[in-house]
Amino acid sequence: MIPSDPPPTLTPPTSAPPTPHHTNRFSFRRAPFFRNAGECGPKRHPISGQTSVCDPSLVHVAITLDVEYLRGSIAAVHSILQHSLCPENIFFHFLVSETNLETLVRSTFPQLKFKVYFFDPEIVRNLISSSVRQALEQPLNYARNYLADLLEPCVRRVIYLDSDLVVVDDISKLWNTSLGSRTIGAPEYCHANFTKYFTAGFWSDNRFSGTFDGRKPCYFNTGVMVIDLVQWRRAGYTKRIERWMEVQKSDRIYELGSLPPFLLVFGGHVAPIEHRWNQHGLGGDNVRGSCRDLHPGPVSLLHWSGSGKPWIRLDSKRACPLDSLWAPYDLYYHHSH
């Protein structure tokens, strides 16, 4: 699928050729071809053009793909390639619960190294409890719990990213973050009120709240995580998360969706990553019509967590100011243009 004579220079995202690629109600422009810089080193497979998922030089990124957030996922991938010094060294692991999206990804990113993994919703359907927002109950939100099982055993580390974000820095910097002895790394927010993520019943019952004894848990957003899959597999963290989801079914210990089990298992045991890697809450934190400013400090990743998504607000002509920072990575093909 790689053209014999790809364009020699990077094309800005806004000027990608308007060749539409259709899947159901979606069509996307083909992304420009992003080449490795000279300092990325020689290609390991110059003859076959194929790269094994086990190649130790790769940066592994996992993102979910579904119809509801597809436009966001495509923009996220585009942003990562745009800002990477070695874009050809990135391998994407796409988690799906529907089977017709691989062709769309290939036509939008012809040179992309990726694999699609089917996540069976039935695995978690009986574990999911009702949440404050229906979007938080979607089974694919829980696919991140199963990365250690879904991905090849040779994949030792992965960056997990939500679909409602763009990366504006070289993702290899995030990839190379030291986790020390920890299994996951994420930006932590220790000034947030941690108690609000669990019910009064949770805190009043030492069978549950006692899990935090001897720990200093802080809130972290699970939309941006670096995960040591070797340690995850060794410690069996998927089963630990599932056990808390089973407790939730019987005792209602939290109101949110897939976040609290991560806080229960990893809170106080997270390798802290610079806040620049998750400028979150740009979706308005579930308050309709609210627009957010950036947190103080440098920015490497913009995250529209919350109910407001930039593509919906832009299409409805009710965009927030920061939505203009997402727009250049949007490859959605508007038929009226």
Side-chain angles (χ1 to χ4, degrees):
M1 296 288 291
I2 299 178
S4 57
D5 187 22
T9 55
L10 301 185
T11 311
T14 48
S15 61
T19 306
H21 304 285
H22 303 272
T23 289
N24 298 335
R25 67 177 189 264
F26 289 99
S27 52
F28 292 88
R29 300 191 306 279
R30 178 170 293 161
F33 176 46
F34 298 100
R35 285 181 172 279
N36 278 358
E39 53 264 54
C40 297
K43 291 185 180 179
R44 290 175 169 263
H45 306 276
I47 298 173
S48 68
Q50 296 297 309
T51 300
S52 166
V53 69
C54 297
D55 186 330
S57 69
L58 294 174
V59 171
H60 295 276
V61 179
I63 301 179
T64 59
L65 289 182
D66 70 316
V67 170
E68 195 72 27
Y69 287 87
L70 186 60
R71 192 167 163 189
S73 298
I74 294 292
V77 171
H78 192 195
S79 72
I80 291 167
L81 298 173
Q82 174 86 6
H83 292 280
S84 175
L85 189 68
C86 306
E88 295 175 273
N89 291 3
I90 304 172
F91 195 103
F92 288 88
H93 304 263
F94 293 118
L95 312 175
V96 306
S97 290
E98 43 202 315
T99 56
N100 61 343
L101 298 175
E102 184 168 350
T103 303
L104 181 141
V105 173
R106 178 60 66 204
S107 60
T108 307
F109 301 103
Q111 288 85 17
L112 197 69
K113 295 179 175 69
F114 75 92
K115 183 175 176 180
V116 172
Y117 302 77
F118 181 75
F119 176 69
D120 185 354
E122 295 304 318
I123 293 174
V124 292
R125 205 176 295 283
N126 292 330
L127 288 170
I128 296 175
S129 304
S130 60
S131 178
V132 292
R133 243 173 68 220
Q134 191 173 1
L136 300 177
E137 299 169 26
Q138 298 305 314
L140 204 55
N141 286 346
Y142 297 83
R144 72 192 90 181
N145 304 0
Y146 297 89
L147 283 167
D149 301 325
L150 291 167
L151 272 53
E152 288 77 0
C154 66
V155 180
R156 302 173 60 86
R157 171 182 280 220
V158 69
I159 298 170
Y160 175 82
L161 297 176
D162 273 352
S163 299
D164 52 357
L165 54 77
V166 293
V167 176
V168 293
D169 200 347
D170 192 334
I171 201 164
S172 67
K173 297 176 185 175
L174 180 59
W175 173 257
N176 289 321
T177 299
S178 172
L179 300 184
S181 61
R182 306 301 196 190
T183 300
I184 71 168
E188 289 189 296
Y189 303 90
C190 295
H191 296 298
N193 180 6
F194 190 80
T195 59
K196 73 176 184 178
Y197 293 100
F198 301 94
T199 62
F202 170 88
W203 292 112
S204 63
D205 191 332
N206 195 58
R207 290 179 304 155
F208 305 142
S209 58
T211 192
F212 291 123
D213 289 350
R215 293 156 65 180
K216 293 182 179 178
C218 295
Y219 163 75
F220 63 95
N221 180 287
T222 51
V224 179
M225 295 186 290
V226 181
I227 305 173
D228 183 327
L229 294 173
V230 175
Q231 290 203 161
W232 183 296
R233 293 172 181 127
R234 188 181 298 140
Y237 283 121
T238 297
K239 289 294 182 193
R240 298 192 198 185
I241 290 172
E242 286 182 334
R243 279 201 290 271
W244 279 115
M245 292 175 70
E246 288 166 358
V247 170
Q248 164 73 352
K249 293 288 284 189
S250 59
D251 290 273
R252 195 69 184 176
I253 56 174
Y254 53 80
E255 300 297 338
L256 288 170
S258 58
L259 167 66
F262 265 85
L263 298 180
L264 286 160
V265 172
F266 294 109
H269 297 313
V270 175
I273 289 175
E274 288 180 275
H275 287 178
R276 67 189 300 155
W277 285 104
N278 196 351
Q279 286 266 351
H280 67 291
L282 303 185
D285 284 353
N286 306 332
V287 180
R288 279 193 186 282
S290 64
C291 291
R292 294 300 176 99
D293 291 325
L294 290 174
H295 309 290
V299 180
S300 294
L301 184 151
L302 298 156
H303 187 188
W304 279 261
S305 57
S307 60
K309 302 307 173 191
W311 56 92
I312 295 173
R313 295 196 297 221
L314 287 161
D315 285 357
S316 64
K317 304 294 189 286
R318 291 199 296 267
C320 288
L322 290 176
D323 295 347
S324 63
L325 299 178
W326 180 89
Y329 305 101
D330 184 18
L331 290 171
Y332 183 70
Y333 182 75
H334 292 271
H335 296 279
S336 59
H337 288 186

